[in-house]
Amino acid sequence: MISLADTPLPTIPRSAPPELALPVGTTLDRFILREQNAFPFATGELSQLLRDIALASKIVNREINRAGLIDVTGASGTDNVQGEAQQKLDVIANIRFIRALRNGGEVCAIISEEDDDMILTGNANGKYVVAIDPLDGSSNIDVNVSIGTIFSIYRRISPVGSDATVADFLQGGRRQVAAGYVLYGSSTILIFTTGQGVNGFTLDHSLGEYILSHATMQQLRTGSIFSCNDGNMADYPDYVQTYLHTCRQRRLTSRYIGSLVADFHRNLIKGGIYLYPPTQKTPFGKLRLLYECFPMGFIAEQAGGQASDGQQAVLDVTPTELHQRSALYVGSPVLVNELLATR
Ligand code: P6P
């Protein structure tokens, strides 16, 4: 009996294009299955949930890439719960993710930046709830700058079979079972953690598959990039202004895209710190705790980074409301600790 292991792989003819010699790589599905097998009690629901999110992101990616052609740029004429003008693509992305999560069957409820109230999916037997910012940085849509999706997943604490409750979403940042983001940039990348490190997958458009491209991501301990909206400088707490002044004195590089996902991702790879302090307009911070700060904080810590609200680790902030805001300082631990040391 000849085993496959003994069978030499067919040689690729010299005349073949070089990419034929390259293996396709690890698809998201294969990676999730491999990770699931590492959890003896995993029953596949979380795996399916992650696949549902990946599917929705591919659909949203398609619509973002065609935005200028199918008249989905510009404002929708409605405001979200934050009182911010919704862009057409905000609404479309929201519908796509809610539909995918509802049809996937694993999620019993969703909260979204785009909806005031908790959304019951009708899947009362779903074991998970999802907090999502369907399209973060949407002010950048019309100018073709990177935007993203941010998601956070909890196991429900309400009884399976009953309606989910708000308490399912207010468990606290360290009760997340998974979190991730999709960056719709020069390529489309899905980054997520289930508490076993951070991995990134790049969408291969020719296959329609996410392929492992950033395995076991590690936040650089320090860096030379700081990201904040300089226009709000006069509003920032004194210690933040002092810290930013030292950044300038040290000739660190200022980079601010205006999309949390894009600034976070660059700092994750190159090292750096992202700051969104309290301002006069947003005295409790602008970013939302449940679907921006908690997921990004989980990813940051899993990659060896640090995320604070200025007083404590952001994952330790006590959530009391679905659309609660928080300050966020996140990225290389050396830089975050330098900031906190100026308090
Ligand atoms: P500002 C986008 O609205 C967002 O939530 C983050 O993605 C981004 O970092 C920040 O707000 C930008 O806010 O006030 O600098 O335009």
Side-chain angles (χ1 to χ4, degrees):
M1 166 78 168
I2 296 177
S3 78
L4 269 181
D6 302 332
T7 312
L9 285 175
T11 52
I12 302 283
R14 285 184 179 283
S15 58
E19 61 272 15
L20 275 187
L22 296 175
V24 164
T26 303
T27 63
L28 176 63
D29 276 3
R30 189 176 295 168
F31 180 88
I32 290 174
L33 195 61
R34 199 169 64 196
E35 273 222 326
Q36 176 187 308
N37 293 338
F39 292 92
F41 306 109
T43 52
E45 286 107 335
L46 180 59
S47 299
Q48 185 52 51
L49 203 180
L50 289 169
R51 288 189 194 94
D52 296 338
I53 288 175
L55 172 63
S57 74
K58 293 178 194 173
I59 298 168
V60 169
N61 176 68
R62 182 190 63 189
E63 271 135 20
I64 288 170
N65 290 343
R66 298 186 305 170
L69 303 173
I70 53 174
D71 185 28
V72 290
T73 57
S76 65
T78 55
D79 291 350
N80 64 18
V81 62
Q82 333 286 341
E84 295 163 340
Q86 289 178 303
Q87 303 299 303
K88 290 175 189 169
L89 267 176
D90 280 325
V91 176
I92 289 169
N94 193 41
I95 291 167
R96 289 296 186 187
F97 278 100
I98 291 170
R99 191 179 292 164
L101 292 171
R102 176 183 287 132
N103 296 343
E106 308 301 347
V107 171
C108 58
I110 301 164
I111 63 159
S112 165
E113 179 185 82
E114 303 306 329
D115 291 280
D116 300 10
D117 303 317
M118 173 177 70
I119 300 156
L120 291 175
T121 61
N123 304 320
N125 292 322
K127 293 180 184 164
Y128 296 95
V129 297
V130 174
I132 190 164
D133 183 353
L135 210 54
D136 177 69
S138 49
S139 59
N140 283 324
I141 293 172
D142 293 0
V143 294
N144 206 25
V145 169
S146 300
I147 49 184
T149 295
I150 309 172
F151 61 90
S152 168
I153 303 172
Y154 298 85
R155 279 186 79 88
R156 70 185 301 179
I157 52 176
S158 54
V160 172
S162 66
D163 281 351
T165 66
V166 169
D168 287 317
F169 291 94
L170 301 180
Q171 300 179 53
R174 297 201 184 277
R175 298 273 301 173
Q176 297 175 92
V177 294
Y181 61 83
V182 182
L183 176 57
Y184 309 101
S186 51
S187 60
T188 300
I189 292 184
L190 168 64
I191 306 282
F192 75 90
T193 181
T194 57
Q196 306 297 317
V198 177
N199 292 280
F201 300 80
T202 298
L203 183 59
D204 180 326
H205 294 276
S206 65
L207 298 175
E209 287 274 10
Y210 278 109
I211 307 293
L212 182 62
S213 52
H214 298 68
T216 320
M217 299 183 80
Q218 289 297 314
Q219 172 70 61
L220 289 179
R221 288 200 53 70
T222 188
S224 59
I225 296 172
F226 64 99
S227 311
C228 69
N229 183 337
D230 261 342
N232 297 327
M233 178 66 80
D235 286 351
Y236 291 166
D238 290 345
Y239 78 93
V240 177
Q241 296 193 39
T242 301
Y243 173 70
L244 291 172
H245 180 64
T246 66
C247 290
R248 294 185 175 84
Q249 281 181 315
R250 290 184 285 168
R251 298 293 185 275
L252 299 190
T253 297
S254 174
R255 286 284 184 276
Y256 190 64
I257 299 172
S259 285
L260 168 58
V261 173
D263 283 312
F264 179 97
H265 187 73
R266 183 206 48 249
N267 292 349
L268 175 59
I269 289 177
K270 295 194 167 192
I273 180 172
Y274 168 94
L275 308 90
Y276 210 103
T279 65
Q280 200 166 36
K281 191 178 160 195
T282 55
F284 300 103
K286 174 185 182 185
L287 300 183
R288 294 70 171 187
L289 186 62
L290 295 187
Y291 41 80
E292 289 176 321
C293 299
F294 274 171
M296 299 315 251
F298 187 18
I299 294 165
E301 288 198 0
Q302 281 290 310
Q306 192 163 331
S308 170
D309 71 340
Q311 304 308 319
Q312 59 191 311
V314 78
L315 291 180
D316 293 329
V317 173
T318 302
T320 54
E321 295 167 24
L322 295 180
H323 299 287
Q324 183 172 333
R325 293 176 188 266
S326 171
L328 180 67
Y329 309 103
V330 60
S332 298
V334 168
L335 301 180
V336 174
N337 284 320
E338 281 175 358
L339 166 70
L340 299 178
T342 57
R343 282 176 300 184

